[in-house]
Amino acid sequence: MLTVHHLNNSRSQRVLWLLEELGVPYEIVRYQRQPDMRAPKELRAIHPLGKSPVITDNGNTIAESGAIIEYLIATYGNGRLIPPPDTPERLRYTYWLHYAEGSAMQPLLLKLLFTLMPKRAPALLRPLVRKVCNQALTALVNPQLKQHMDYWEGELAKSEWFAGSEFTAADIQMSFPLEAAQARGGLEQGHPKAMAFLERIHARPAYARALEKGGPYQVGR
């Protein structure tokens, strides 16, 4: 049976959601983050990088969110949650599927890093570290993040979902950046279309089932 190696509060929540949307049977092997928020070393027995998400299925071990989504849609989708080939929607689908991790998550990760660094710095160095991090946030990270959020807002003004008028796996992939932006990027300020997107996905029954099976999920919640 298909197995999801599920790390709490991680991108693997999207994999559970996709499987619930497709109605594919699966089992979950759970892993808990360490106090420093890193994945436990046990995940390295599944994949050398020891990160989540990762799935095992029919002798295959597949990591990386985009690759997992492509595999699941190709293997179990039967044409669902993906636009028809050779259409503008299919091209948009492919773009958003890869943009989510390739571009959108970079400023969000930097935002998290520069926010956490002062809190974890030695007490004597904390004022200096905070000053440097605040400068990086103001000059570099926050403007980039705003540019991405404005981009999402503009695209969602064109269509209800990222690839067009129909919900697809690209929307599942894009959920994590938008939830992270809501949690720590100020998405709620001036981005009503993006916030409405989050309301729509959170209202989906498959999303709720995935949360129930995956356990507590704090990103954007």
Side-chain angles (χ1 to χ4, degrees), residues 1-3 56-61 71 75-76:
M1 178 178 284
L2 190 154
T3 300
T56 50
D57 186 42
N58 293 323
N60 300 307
T61 299
Y71 172 83
T75 306
Y76 299 104

Side-chain angles (χ1 to χ4, degrees), residues 35-210:
D36 62 3
M37 296 304 292
R38 294 182 182 180
K41 62 182 180 180
E42 287 80 8
L43 262 173
R44 294 181 186 174
I46 309 303
H47 188 277
L49 294 181
K51 295 184 178 181
S52 183
V54 60
I55 66 170
T56 50
D57 186 42
N58 293 323
N60 300 307
T61 299
I62 305 150
E64 292 294 337
S65 301
I68 291 171
I69 288 176
E70 289 197 50
Y71 172 83
L72 293 176
I73 291 294
T75 306
Y76 299 104
N78 295 318
R80 294 172 294 167
L81 300 184
I82 184 171
D86 301 319
T87 62
E89 290 80 10
R90 182 63 165 266
L91 185 60
R92 285 169 59 86
Y93 169 91
T94 302
Y95 170 77
W96 291 111
L97 195 66
H98 294 281
Y99 161 89
E101 292 293 333
S103 296
M105 284 306 299
Q106 293 179 21
L108 286 161
L109 290 172
L110 287 172
K111 177 90 171 180
L112 178 62
L113 176 65
F114 287 126
T115 302
L116 289 178
M117 281 178 62
K119 300 176 183 177
R120 298 185 178 183
L124 289 176
L125 294 177
R126 200 165 295 155
L128 176 60
V129 173
R130 182 178 293 111
K131 180 179 180 180
V132 172
C133 289
N134 286 341
Q135 288 176 343
L137 286 168
T138 300
L140 176 65
V141 178
N142 290 339
Q144 285 190 25
L145 184 53
K146 185 180 185 304
Q147 184 178 23
H148 282 277
M149 293 190 296
D150 291 347
Y151 176 43
W152 307 336
E153 186 71 11
E155 293 300 304
L156 288 170
K158 300 175 184 177
S159 59
E160 185 176 14
W161 302 104
F162 276 101
S165 61
E166 300 293 327
F167 174 80
T168 70
D171 298 296
I172 294 176
Q173 180 76 327
M174 281 298 296
S175 66
F176 196 89
L178 268 74
E179 288 182 323
Q182 181 190 22
R184 56 178 178 263
L187 184 68
E188 70 280 0
Q189 300 172 9
H191 303 96
K193 298 292 185 182
M195 293 299 294
F197 170 87
L198 290 178
E199 290 180 6
R200 289 195 298 275
I201 65 171
H202 293 161
R204 295 184 71 85
Y207 185 96
R209 291 196 301 271

Side-chain angles (χ1 to χ4, degrees), residues 24-45:
V24 177
Y26 63 96
E27 63 180 9
I28 301 175
V29 177
R30 302 178 187 277
Y31 303 83
Q32 288 294 121
R33 291 185 181 275
Q34 301 176 99
D36 62 3
M37 296 304 292
R38 294 182 182 180
K41 62 182 180 180
E42 287 80 8
L43 262 173
R44 294 181 186 174

